[in-house]
Amino acid sequence: MSQAKELFEEAQVLRNNGQINEALKLYTEAFREAAIEQDRFLFAECLHMMGVSLYQDKNFSEALEYLEKARKEFEYDKNIALLAAVLRDMGSVSASMGNITEGISYFQKSIELLKDLGNRGHPGVSKVKLGKLTNSEELVLEGIKDIVQSEDRFFEAIAYVNLAEVSIELNKSKEAIKSLA
């Protein structure tokens, strides 16, 4: 395994455990190493994860800058799946910044790009995020159905949490409790 990949994997563990500042340091090191090793994919993925980390740290404007750089890299490489994932993350950041219309647009672009890839899980996640943003229980349920029917069910639990949040917004407390269960 390359030095860049090792650093990236260490950063992923730190980020997943809420150690955002430490993760950002390692992502930055991995980014530099990926550039030296001329690993374009890892270079772009470091940008993506730095943006996600900054979003988790509520540093929205800087997160959007990194995600935009990652978007350009994945677009250049024609990596549709990761381009769509970055657009979804840009939607979340934009919505958190109060730019609801922009957030909706990013989620819709993500869904559109993913519809022909065959894996229903990732467009399902984008549908859930869009449904949460627009308080559309129907869209969240459609996204959950896609996730459940896919091979990649990584986001299933958070999708049900998002459904519960929408149910609460719609004054459907029994449905919210059911979703959380």
Side-chain angles (χ1 to χ4, degrees):
M1 184 180 302
S2 74
Q3 175 72 17
K5 186 69 173 167
E6 286 180 28
L7 290 165
F8 181 83
E9 293 300 326
E10 287 178 49
Q12 289 286 81
V13 170
L14 291 171
R15 185 181 64 78
N16 288 335
N17 288 308
Q19 298 173 286
I20 305 302
N21 290 328
E22 294 83 357
L24 280 166
K25 289 175 189 172
L26 287 182
Y27 284 130
T28 302
E29 288 181 48
F31 174 80
R32 286 187 198 120
E33 285 296 319
I36 291 168
E37 295 170 10
Q38 298 181 1
D39 186 337
R40 284 189 57 86
F41 173 79
L42 190 56
F43 178 86
E45 190 58 5
C46 286
L47 290 169
H48 181 198
M49 289 298 108
M50 285 191 278
V52 169
S53 298
L54 289 161
Y55 168 66
Q56 289 176 303
D57 201 37
K58 299 188 182 349
N59 188 340
F60 302 132
S61 59
E62 195 172 353
L64 208 50
E65 289 175 25
Y66 278 95
L67 291 170
E68 177 60 26
K69 290 175 185 177
R71 182 196 64 77
K72 288 178 181 176
E73 291 295 323
F74 289 129
E75 200 169 66
Y76 178 82
D77 289 339
K78 295 179 178 42
N79 188 324
I80 302 302
L82 285 172
L83 172 58
V86 168
L87 289 170
R88 180 176 54 238
D89 292 332
M90 291 175 80
S92 294
V93 173
S94 294
S96 294
M97 294 174 74
N99 300 327
I100 305 304
T101 304
E102 187 173 272
I104 289 169
S105 177
Y106 282 128
F107 290 133
Q108 289 171 333
K109 288 175 187 173
S110 174
I111 293 165
E112 184 64 28
L113 284 173
L114 290 167
K115 73 178 183 179
D116 296 327
L117 286 187
N119 178 347
R120 295 178 68 180
H122 282 282
V125 174
S126 295
K127 289 176 186 176
V128 167
K129 297 292 182 189
L130 178 57
K132 181 181 178 217
L133 183 59
T134 60
N135 280 332
S136 171
E137 184 178 41
E138 181 181 324
L139 193 53
V140 173
L141 287 168
E142 183 181 327
I144 289 173
K145 181 180 176 186
D146 287 347
I147 293 168
V148 169
Q149 293 178 353
S150 76
E151 293 178 14
D152 184 2
R153 295 178 65 181
F154 179 79
F155 294 105
E156 186 174 355
I158 193 65
Y160 279 107
V161 170
N162 290 163
L163 178 59
E165 291 168 336
V166 170
S167 295
I168 289 168
E169 287 292 320
L170 298 173
N171 293 316
K172 295 180 173 185
S173 57
K174 287 181 183 177
E175 287 85 351
I177 292 168
K178 184 179 174 186
S179 295
L180 291 173

